[in-house]
Amino acid sequence: MGDSTALPFLPGNTFKDPTKTNFHRSQTMTYKNGFAIPKTGSIQGLTQADIDELANLQPSLTYGKAKPEPPQDFVPAHVAFDKKVLLFNAYFKQTLNESEKEYYRVRPVKIYYYLEDDSISVVEPIVENSGIPQGKLIKRQRLPKNDQGEHWLWKDLNIGNDVVFYGKTFHIYSCNNYTKEFMTSEGIMLNPEESCPADPYTLSRREPQHSYVTPPTFDKLKQFIELDRQVLRFYAVWDDRSNKFGEMRSYTVHFYRVDDTVEVREQRQPNDGHDPFPVLIGRRKVPRSKQNIPTDFPSAVMEISDHEVTEWLNENGPEGRGNGEHHEPAVLPVRLRYLHAELLPPAVRGGI
């Protein structure tokens, strides 16, 4: 039997050595003084250089042709771009010829571009009680760009551009973050974002902001409760001696604090020769300042209202005047000069 080492190491080509009698495995450890220590020189181990060489070894075939690397798996567009949609915010202006108050309306929309099949859909957000048919304006489809058979692609959409879909012009003013990242990754620089103009009709329908006015602490009910039966008395004279047959006549002015009314009474003297009409002006509100009253105003049968009076006489008027001061002619029909004033006791009701 020849040398078995010359045969290839394949099944059926290996034979046992009949001369081999020692079948034990060699030991790499030995015992010395009760301790296991490795043997030196018996087995030659691998060096660090051998280990590094084996780690970087790339074995090659010794027979046959080298197999080419398998190609990468083909991924179709409808799988690679599935559920990837670009979103652009746009608006269009709707002309109104039937309304007298408005000329156009600004209607915001959302343009969805589907990357898997280059289809586009236009949706208008639904506004409650708008009175306009809203929702999906253009269903998902490939939109024609011109008469040459071209269609709108994602490269044609950019912020600030006008796109025409079936004769309607849409102006793009912004987009979402995913669209910005996709367009930037494809080498397309987006224009700066714009703002959507306000709709004049929507602005006209907005309710004004509520203004909360603190009510005054001194109201009519409080005035009635606290100032009832409180009357201010003023002594005045009417000096009419500058006119023919004129004389100086004494009057008493009562100011009722409960409703800011004024009453003027004449102080009768015995044998003065005057008609017995003690009340010169009945209890009423006396205007303090009047303006824009026409000369033909029928004051004899009609009362002056708040439209003609800018300020009514109140207790600060007579009280704030010193003794000897005069009223303006617009306040009383006669020119009175106050002498002094006093507060009547609460028991007095309705004047004297």
Side-chain angles (χ1 to χ4, degrees), residues 284 290 293-304:
R284 68 185 65 181
K290 298 182 293 183
I293 300 179
T295 56
D296 56 348
F297 185 80
S299 58
V301 295
M302 296 182 64
E303 295 183 356
I304 299 177

Side-chain angles (χ1 to χ4, degrees), residues 86-118:
L86 305 181
L87 172 60
F88 295 91
N89 298 318
Y91 68 89
F92 71 96
K93 292 185 179 181
Q94 179 185 6
T95 305
L96 299 177
N97 300 322
E98 301 84 2
S99 177
E100 298 179 355
K101 299 181 180 179
E102 51 183 346
Y103 301 99
Y104 66 92
R105 287 188 182 179
V106 178
R107 300 177 61 175
V109 297
K110 295 182 180 297
I111 300 177
Y112 296 94
Y113 186 93
Y114 300 88
L115 294 173
E116 57 179 328
D117 55 356
D118 297 329

Side-chain angles (χ1 to χ4, degrees), residues 215-324:
T217 57
F218 192 86
D219 54 0
K220 292 184 178 180
L221 179 59
K222 183 178 180 180
Q223 183 181 9
F224 174 78
I225 294 176
E226 297 184 358
L227 302 181
D228 188 25
R229 298 186 301 174
Q230 293 189 14
V231 184
L232 303 180
R233 176 185 291 177
F234 301 89
Y235 296 97
V237 293
W238 177 21
D239 191 358
D240 195 31
R241 291 176 294 182
S242 59
N243 298 327
K244 188 177 181 179
F245 305 112
E247 58 182 343
M248 182 178 291
R249 304 173 64 173
S250 301
Y251 290 91
T252 303
V253 181
H254 293 146
F255 184 86
Y256 299 88
R257 302 185 65 188
V258 65
D259 55 357
D260 295 333
T261 54
V262 178
E263 180 187 45
V264 181
R265 288 177 170 267
E266 183 179 359
Q267 298 180 5
R268 296 294 309 278
Q269 301 294 336
N271 300 325
D272 54 4
H274 297 158
D275 293 333
F277 295 102
V279 180
L280 178 64
I281 301 176
R283 180 178 176 180
R284 68 185 65 181
K285 298 190 70 173
V286 178
R288 186 175 181 179
S289 177
K290 298 182 293 183
Q291 64 179 4
N292 300 329
I293 300 179
T295 56
D296 56 348
F297 185 80
S299 58
V301 295
M302 296 182 64
E303 295 183 356
I304 299 177
S305 62
D306 294 337
H307 296 284
E308 295 82 19
V309 180
T310 58
E311 185 179 4
W312 295 94
L313 184 67
N314 51 32
E315 60 178 296
N316 296 326
E319 243 181 2
R321 299 181 181 271
N323 295 338

Side-chain angles (χ1 to χ4, degrees), residues 163-184:
V163 293
V164 181
F165 299 153
Y166 294 123
K168 191 177 293 295
T169 303
F170 298 88
H171 183 78
I172 302 175
Y173 64 89
S174 66
C175 61
N176 60 353
N177 295 330
Y178 175 76
T179 304
K180 293 180 181 179
E181 296 176 358
F182 178 81
M183 301 292 278
T184 304

